Amino acid sequence: MGVATLNRHSLLHTCTLVVLVFLSVGSSRVHADDTTSTVAQTNWYRAIMQLVARHLPPTTTSHHVELLTPAETLQPLLSCPNIHARFSREPQRLAGRTMVTLSCGDSLRDNPRFVQIDVSVIGNYLVVTRDLAAKHTLARNDITIEQGDLGRLPRYALLATPQAMQQVIGQQLRRALSQHSILQENLLTKPQVVNFGDELVIEARGKGFQITRTAEAMDTGAIGDIIRVRLNNKQLIRVKIVAPGRAEPAQ
């Protein structure tokens, strides 16, 4: 047998092996897809997905749930028509790994099953548009919205909700922030508009009457704070700051 014939046989053998490997890989992928499809049809899987959907952060734009616990361990739940799902520990902001408790019906004590999942969440959050100094009072043009993995955000990061946008405007920074820094609730403070010894105008209003008096502030405070003031007759009362230099009797 010549060299050319041997080469042809070697080439044919190699091609056969490549085809077998390709078919094997393709078969594994089809099997994996079939398994995923089967899991998605189970009541316990749908219960987990519904639980996650109810607890997604309000600015979520997309999310993905990965099941970390082997599906085989949940076989006893296949015959249960009503699966109850709850988080083993309520997440502060649903993103990352967490544990779900599954039970048949509403009885949480009867053979609960524990499932670990990994929730990837993409959403919108607040950042600053430029370098800002400590004690800077935030304005609307200091804030913008960015999108990213919410699981990577600091614990007190502010999501881009309308309420958060209103909350941060007019507040002061506790420390300096660089451009694109994430806004965090613990980095903000309300600006002090009343200092000790300031003169305040106290307005008390009711049905058909209005009383105005002046008083001396005995504390410092921001708008919305309750502080003590001393009236001209030396009486101490508690008032709520409503604006710089103005207050109303505290309820």
Side-chain angles (χ1 to χ4, degrees):
M1 184 179 297
V3 174
T5 303
L6 286 173
N7 287 340
R8 282 197 299 273
H9 280 289
S10 298
L11 180 60
L12 179 60
H13 180 68
T14 301
C15 290
T16 302
L17 289 175
V18 170
V19 170
L20 289 174
V21 170
F22 176 78
L23 290 175
S24 175
V25 172
S27 176
S28 298
R29 287 176 179 171
V30 170
H31 178 70
D33 291 342
D34 289 344
T35 301
T36 302
S37 177
T38 301
V39 168
Q41 294 174 8
T42 61
N43 287 339
W44 60 260
Y45 183 83
R46 284 194 287 266
I48 292 174
M49 294 303 106
Q50 291 168 5
L51 177 69
V52 169
R54 290 196 303 269
H55 288 80
L56 286 172
T59 64
T60 298
T61 56
S62 64
H63 74 282
H64 172 74
V65 180
E66 181 182 357
L67 186 69
L68 301 180
T69 300
E72 293 77 12
T73 64
L74 303 175
Q75 291 289 336
L77 294 176
L78 291 179
S79 60
C80 180
N82 180 27
I83 302 293
H84 180 82
R86 65 182 180 90
F87 290 111
S88 301
R89 177 177 295 179
E90 195 76 14
Q92 179 187 18
R93 182 174 59 228
L94 182 57
R97 294 192 176 191
T98 188
M99 191 72 73
V100 175
T101 302
L102 299 176
S103 58
C104 186
D106 295 329
S107 179
L108 302 179
R109 297 182 179 180
D110 295 342
N111 298 320
R113 300 283 168 168
F114 300 97
V115 184
Q116 189 178 36
I117 60 175
D118 189 7
V119 186
S120 301
V121 183
I122 303 299
N124 298 326
Y125 51 90
L126 299 179
V127 301
V128 296
T129 58
R130 57 195 178 95
D131 294 346
L132 299 174
K135 296 186 178 180
H136 174 80
T137 300
L138 291 171
R140 179 63 186 85
N141 60 358
D142 294 324
I143 309 159
T144 191
I145 297 172
E146 286 192 359
Q147 186 177 97
D149 184 354
L150 299 188
R152 296 180 177 273
L153 296 184
R155 179 179 180 183
Y156 295 102
L158 289 168
L159 302 183
T161 62
Q163 296 82 359
M165 295 285 286
Q166 288 185 335
Q167 172 190 342
V168 301
I169 294 174
Q171 296 211 46
Q172 286 184 341
L173 294 176
R174 294 182 184 273
R175 63 175 176 82
L177 294 179
S178 57
Q179 186 179 22
H180 299 303
S181 290
I182 299 168
L183 268 180
Q184 301 178 57
E185 189 174 6
N186 60 333
L187 300 181
L188 303 176
T189 184
K190 293 184 292 185
Q192 302 293 314
V193 297
V194 173
N195 295 311
F196 178 84
D198 284 355
E199 184 179 90
L200 294 179
V201 175
I202 315 299
E203 293 182 345
R205 297 184 181 185
K207 189 175 181 179
F209 74 90
Q210 177 177 340
I211 301 174
T212 301
R213 302 184 67 176
T214 59
E216 181 184 0
M218 304 304 293
D219 301 301
T220 61
I223 293 176
D225 286 349
I226 305 295
I227 64 169
R228 298 171 303 153
V229 297
R230 183 167 57 194
L231 302 175
N232 292 336
N233 61 4
K234 307 302 182 182
Q235 179 185 2
L236 291 176
I237 64 172
R238 289 161 56 83
V239 298
K240 179 181 179 181
I241 302 172
V242 296
R246 307 187 73 82
E248 61 185 22
Q251 300 296 327

